[in-house]
Amino acid sequence: MTGPVQGEGVTTAPVAAPAVDDPLARLDLCDFEQMLGGDTVRPIRQGAITFGRPLAYEIGLEVFPAAFRELRDARKWRYVRLVLPFALEARAQRQEFLDVTIRLRRAGPEAIGLDLEPPRPIGPGGLPAVLGAVPIPLHLPAAPGGPVLAGTIAVEVNGYGSDSLGWSLRDAEGGPLADGSYVVAAVLRMPPGATTVSGELSALASLRWPYLGSMQLSRPRTRHPEQFSTPIILLDPDGSPTPAVTVPVHNGPSTIGTGTTRLCLAADAEAYSSRDVHGQLALQRRFVEVLDTAARYAGLDRGLWQWQEQGDGQLVLLPLGLDEPRAVADLLRELAVALRHLNRDLRDDARLRLRLAIHTGLVYPAHNGYAGDAVIHVSRLLDSTPLRTALREATGADLVVAVSAIVYDEIVRHEPRDLRADRFRPVTVEIPSKGFRADAWIAVADATM
């Protein structure tokens, strides 16, 4: 959903809203300045965000459209509305928030976002539950001197069908956002035995302020995600809220969660283990910087990526609803450009050189990351002999990429964004010890891809 949200949209609380005695967390919003020498950065506080304690309550199938209620497995799940209150605070009086993005990652257990919604208006009785039927008190974090927001808020949301959700708020008329308390919400589908909702919250904002006759701009973000876990409130037939109770579930082996088809990327840095500790730390920092830079210039929000981190690489799941052909083409080019700029002033033994593999398929959330054939497939391509050999032989290159047969057939060969399919050559990846054999396409990537 994109565009102005009228009336029932995201609203600030009245100034007199009760303060929270124990808010979930108050996090600084920081810019980061690179220090001399280039190996360290220091945070510069530009503002703050206070997250109130999230509210989660069950909603019944009766609030969903008839077509949804008639789905074969609709009654298998528990449906929960999750409400996330927060308050914005600028560092200085003349600073203004232009926008703010709230991110929820790793919503669990096995939560899938069905709807990301602006909540109903907040009244004296709290936030209405189940489309206004029963009020449940929602305590908002107090914003110092925050006025009541007038006008409309434009909201962009993403993360449908995913456990990583995002809400971007800005003033619909192009003005600043008021300091104050806000709420955003989502409807989650969860396993029937779920009694809590957990996840990680972070934020990214845009700020401006006058300085020497011009406007300065900043994109501060929280330095780390804030974890939370909140009990689910069930509504009894008489309307009184009660804590969630565990629904009996089968006690046998773990059941498989809901799988989603995702574009999977795996990346790995060359010669990580041969470096000393200082070299490994520098490589990890540069690796993250390169991914951040490439994603930004490719128009991708890296805050919505889901990943499993390793010392010298990452497994990344790109968000649902993405223009995948455009994402693949632009990300390959921007990665090559970012690596070229990073490495141009470095000694050969300090260069960051990457192998990248891309595949698409079903992925399942797991206790320690992600599972499924797609995850195994992209990992096998990344570690394959043909890809390692390609990077070793292309001594002047910074990036080599392997795409699976399905990615080549459905994306690369159609040359989206003028991506050059003629730069890819077919290979067969065989790992007998793993029982793996697959066709793939390999290219040495650069800015002319």
Side-chain angles (χ1 to χ4, degrees), residues 33 57 98 147 379 392:
E33 179 181 71
Y57 55 90
L98 298 180
S379 299
R392 185 174 63 251

mmCIF file of all heavy atoms in Angstrom, residues 33 57 98 147 379 392:
data_model
loop_
_atom_site.group_PDB
_atom_site.id
_atom_site.type_symbol
_atom_site.label_atom_id
_atom_site.label_comp_id
_atom_site.label_asym_id
_atom_site.label_seq_id
_atom_site.Cartn_x
_atom_site.Cartn_y
_atom_site.Cartn_z
ATOM 1 N N GLU A 33 30.644 8.478 10.850
ATOM 2 C CA GLU A 33 31.726 9.231 10.222
ATOM 3 C C GLU A 33 32.968 8.365 10.208
ATOM 4 O O GLU A 33 33.367 7.812 11.240
ATOM 5 C CB GLU A 33 31.982 10.509 11.019
ATOM 6 C CG GLU A 33 33.111 11.360 10.470
ATOM 7 C CD GLU A 33 33.325 12.607 11.310
ATOM 8 O OE1 GLU A 33 33.824 12.477 12.459
ATOM 9 O OE2 GLU A 33 32.991 13.691 10.834
ATOM 10 N N TYR A 57 -2.593 -9.264 19.795
ATOM 11 C CA TYR A 57 -3.849 -9.895 20.198
ATOM 12 C C TYR A 57 -4.436 -10.670 19.030
ATOM 13 O O TYR A 57 -4.269 -10.326 17.866
ATOM 14 C CB TYR A 57 -4.847 -8.864 20.735
ATOM 15 C CG TYR A 57 -5.155 -7.712 19.819
ATOM 16 C CD1 TYR A 57 -6.200 -7.786 18.900
ATOM 17 C CD2 TYR A 57 -4.420 -6.547 19.868
ATOM 18 C CE1 TYR A 57 -6.494 -6.721 18.065
ATOM 19 C CE2 TYR A 57 -4.700 -5.484 19.044
ATOM 20 C CZ TYR A 57 -5.749 -5.568 18.136
ATOM 21 O OH TYR A 57 -6.031 -4.523 17.297
ATOM 22 N N LEU A 98 12.053 14.104 8.000
ATOM 23 C CA LEU A 98 11.372 14.057 6.708
ATOM 24 C C LEU A 98 10.654 12.735 6.513
ATOM 25 O O LEU A 98 9.602 12.681 5.877
ATOM 26 C CB LEU A 98 12.379 14.271 5.575
ATOM 27 C CG LEU A 98 13.112 15.615 5.576
ATOM 28 C CD1 LEU A 98 14.080 15.687 4.410
ATOM 29 C CD2 LEU A 98 12.121 16.764 5.525
ATOM 30 N N PRO A 147 3.725 17.606 19.276
ATOM 31 C CA PRO A 147 2.372 18.074 18.983
ATOM 32 C C PRO A 147 1.526 16.981 18.348
ATOM 33 O O PRO A 147 2.038 15.962 17.892
ATOM 34 C CB PRO A 147 2.615 19.202 17.987
ATOM 35 C CG PRO A 147 3.867 18.789 17.274
ATOM 36 C CD PRO A 147 4.711 18.086 18.310
ATOM 37 N N SER A 379 24.196 -22.525 -2.028
ATOM 38 C CA SER A 379 25.441 -22.725 -1.291
ATOM 39 C C SER A 379 26.400 -23.626 -2.055
ATOM 40 O O SER A 379 27.617 -23.405 -2.055
ATOM 41 C CB SER A 379 25.143 -23.308 0.093
ATOM 42 O OG SER A 379 24.329 -22.433 0.851
ATOM 43 N N ARG A 392 39.942 -17.315 -9.407
ATOM 44 C CA ARG A 392 41.398 -17.453 -9.329
ATOM 45 C C ARG A 392 42.055 -17.072 -10.650
ATOM 46 O O ARG A 392 43.131 -16.434 -10.673
ATOM 47 C CB ARG A 392 41.759 -18.891 -8.954
ATOM 48 C CG ARG A 392 43.263 -19.105 -8.733
ATOM 49 C CD ARG A 392 43.572 -20.488 -8.215
ATOM 50 N NE ARG A 392 43.205 -21.533 -9.156
ATOM 51 C CZ ARG A 392 42.189 -22.377 -8.981
ATOM 52 N NH1 ARG A 392 41.442 -22.300 -7.891
ATOM 53 N NH2 ARG A 392 41.913 -23.300 -9.884
#
